[in-house]
């Protein structure tokens, strides 16, 4: 069985809800990225996102390098990856195996966030899912979340049990 860690940052609670649902339904461990300065206003978050600032954070959770896959659950702020998650990814340089990205947003920006994560980890993400806040609030995300979790689990399992090298016949 593959080990998966779900790491989230949540300002409004939507990402926390989704991360906890993934953790409970799949038995995956949780980690949280916390702003050290405490709750931030929407205006401050928007400025940080637009200026690509990286605030001081604290990560609370198990060591991500011990997992076959890490799911990053992040809100979208001003069409960007939220600054606390950006800071977390940079702080984990080289310590993340397979990375999947789940974003929660009011409108758009998920593609920007996924592209930024791929740039930060220097390889493509293994799975991605973009949810709208309205979907999460209405509970209309269960099927998409299930399919995403299955894709992540398959990628994690492939990393946990790599294929044996093919045996080649040797000439006599």
């Amino acid at each position: 069985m593959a080990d998966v860690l779900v790491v989230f940052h949540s300002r409004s609670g939507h990402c926390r809800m989704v991360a906890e649902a993934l953790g409970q339904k799949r038995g995956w461990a949780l980690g949280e990225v916390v702003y050290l300065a405490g709750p931030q206003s929407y205006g401050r978050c928007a400025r940080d996102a637009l200026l690509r600032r990286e605030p001081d954070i604290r990560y609370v959770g198990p060591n991500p390098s011990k997992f076959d896959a890490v799911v990053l659950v992040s809100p979208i702020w001003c069409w960007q990856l939220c600054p606390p998650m950006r800071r977390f990814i940079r702080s984990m340089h080289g310590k993340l195996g397979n990375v999947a990205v789940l974003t929660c947003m009011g409108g758009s920006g998920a593609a920007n966030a996924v592209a930024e994560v791929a740039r930060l980890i220097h390889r493509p993400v293994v799975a991605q899912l973009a949810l709208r806040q309205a979907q999460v609030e209405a509970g209309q995300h269960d099927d998409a979340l299930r399919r995403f979790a299955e894709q992540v689990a398959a990628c994690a399992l492939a990393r946990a049990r790599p294929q044996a090298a093919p045996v080649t016949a040797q000439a006599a």
Side-chain angles (χ1 to χ4, degrees):
M1 181 164 164
D3 287 329
V4 178
L5 173 65
V6 179
V7 176
F8 71 94
H9 174 74
S10 189
R11 181 182 165 277
S12 63
H14 296 99
C15 287
R16 176 183 297 278
M17 240 182 352
V18 172
E20 288 176 348
L22 270 176
Q24 289 171 355
K25 290 178 182 177
R26 292 300 214 152
W28 293 345
L30 290 177
E32 182 176 10
V33 177
V34 181
Y35 252 126
L36 283 182
Q40 302 295 311
S41 69
Y42 179 78
R44 170 72 185 265
C45 294
R47 275 192 310 278
D48 284 351
L50 290 171
L51 297 173
R52 303 184 81 60
R53 292 181 180 152
E54 292 187 15
D56 291 333
I57 62 164
R58 175 174 31 107
Y59 170 67
V60 180
N63 182 345
S65 66
K66 304 212 183 273
F67 290 82
D68 300 310
V70 176
V71 177
L72 303 175
V73 181
S74 177
I76 299 297
W77 294 352
C78 294
W79 307 279
Q80 306 292 323
L81 180 69
C82 79
M85 191 59 73
R86 179 182 302 122
R87 179 66 174 259
F88 170 77
I89 295 166
R90 284 192 197 277
S91 74
M92 292 290 139
H93 180 72
K95 297 178 183 172
L96 301 175
N98 287 327
V99 175
V101 178
L102 191 160
T103 56
C104 293
M105 61 194 162
S108 62
N112 296 339
V114 169
E116 182 172 359
V117 170
R119 279 192 308 274
L120 290 169
I121 63 172
H122 305 290
R123 63 186 180 284
V125 301
V126 298
Q128 59 185 291
L129 175 63
L131 296 175
R132 294 212 184 323
Q133 291 173 358
Q135 285 178 285
V136 175
E137 290 168 355
Q140 298 172 338
H141 61 286
D142 288 340
D143 286 340
L145 196 60
R146 180 186 48 76
R147 288 189 303 273
F148 173 75
E150 288 170 358
Q151 187 178 7
V152 171
C155 291
L157 188 58
R159 182 168 191 241
R161 296 189 182 139
Q163 295 280 37
V167 177
T168 58
Q170 293 183 355

